Each structure stands twice: as C-alpha cells, then as structure tokens.
Amino acid sequence: MTAERGERLADWLDRLGLADHLAEAGLPTYVRDERGHARWTDPGTGEPLNADQLDQLDRLLHQQGSEPEHAVPVALLLLARHARVREELLAGEWFTYETLAALRGASVNATRFAVHKAHAEHRLLLLATETGTVIPAFQLTADGEPRPDLAPVLEPLLAAGMDPWRSWAWLTQPAGLLGGQVPERLVADPAEADLVRYAALRLAERVAASG
C-alpha cells in the first residue's frame, strides 16, 4: 500500500511537471530507481518515508479545492510559475558588477558602490541569483547609468517591498493597467509617463496592503 501510494503521488507530480519544485517547497522528494520505482525521502532525516508520512503528504498536496481527488498543489504550481518567469527574465539582457563596470569604464568596486547606492535610493532594481547579483539592463542608459525617466516608477515599487522578480516582470511585460503596453517602454514617452507612474503607485499600494 505504501509503495502504491508513493507511485501514485510521483506519477501525478510527473504529469504536472512539479517534481523539481518539491525540495524548494520544503517537501519530501523522490528519485526513480533502476526499475523506475519512486523512492521518497524525508528532507529532515534523509530516511525513506513511511506509510503515515506518505499519507500526510498525500493529504497536504490534495488539500486545495472542494474535491480533493481533482485538487492541485497550488503552492507547487506557484513555485513552478515563478521559476518559469525567472528563466524568461534571465534569458534577457542583464549585467553583473564586472560587465557593468566595463561598460562604465570604471572599477568593479566603484561600480558596486554606485549600484548599491542607487538601489538603496530605490532607483535601481537588483536581484540575487545562485551565481551572484544581477542588474537588469532595461533600467540603465546606454552608458550604464540609472534611467531618470524610470526612477519615479521604480521608487514606489521598491519602497513597497515588491518582490524584485515580480517588479522586473511587471516593468518589462505588457501590463493590464496600461492597456497591454510595456511600462518601461511607455514611460519613455513624456505624454504617457504620468500614466505609468500612476499605475506603479496603484500596484505599490496593493503590494503594501497585502504585506
């Protein structure tokens, strides 16, 4: 019965494409042995899951919705979505301290200091990744300085504590509040800049209220 439940859960997560996000969610994980059978492991002890633990995991993953048999693990779906967004964003143009320093013709230390000063003043968006700090290129001028036209849009979002990945996505993708226009592009038009700033303020208010 334990093996059957473990196989059913693993097959279900495989179909949903969510197996890779179990560890990130702090949940038990599984690997397939040479025969393709799922072997579940407790993240705390490294020991195989017993029947009670698998039963608890089953209930946890199926707790969303009024019909548990048709439920989906919402938390895992959100993690998967966020991972896809991060991948899409990182496929675009961005700088490290070193590459930005080269563009500016400055030292890495001076560039790092200037970047963190602009970030502290909510004029520059920074993101931490597994390999280091990422500085999205859209917010910089051709010579590597923070865009003055974008500062009034970035400031309320960063001051509200909006997740930096969400900020990056909102600024560089079509926004409903702007009729499907891309905020960072639209704000460059003086005739539309006030509208973009208003949209950013509204979004920042919602972020602050939910936090």
Side-chain angles (χ1 to χ4, degrees), residues 118-143:
H119 177 65
E121 295 170 350
H122 300 145
R123 295 187 295 113
L124 203 62
L125 178 65
L126 303 183
L127 299 102
T129 71
E130 292 79 3
T131 57
T133 299
V134 164
I135 309 158
F138 77 90
Q139 59 188 333
L140 301 171
T141 63
D143 57 0

Side-chain angles (χ1 to χ4, degrees), residues 21-37:
H21 303 285
L22 290 166
E24 186 180 358
L27 295 171
T29 59
Y30 63 90
V31 296
R32 299 282 185 179
D33 63 20
E34 64 277 2
R35 301 177 64 182
H37 296 155

Side-chain angles (χ1 to χ4, degrees), residues 96-128:
T96 63
Y97 296 125
E98 291 76 13
T99 57
L100 184 56
L103 174 63
R104 290 182 166 192
S107 71
V108 173
N109 284 341
T111 298
R112 183 182 290 108
F113 176 82
V115 163
H116 280 275
K117 183 174 186 294
H119 177 65
E121 295 170 350
H122 300 145
R123 295 187 295 113
L124 203 62
L125 178 65
L126 303 183
L127 299 102

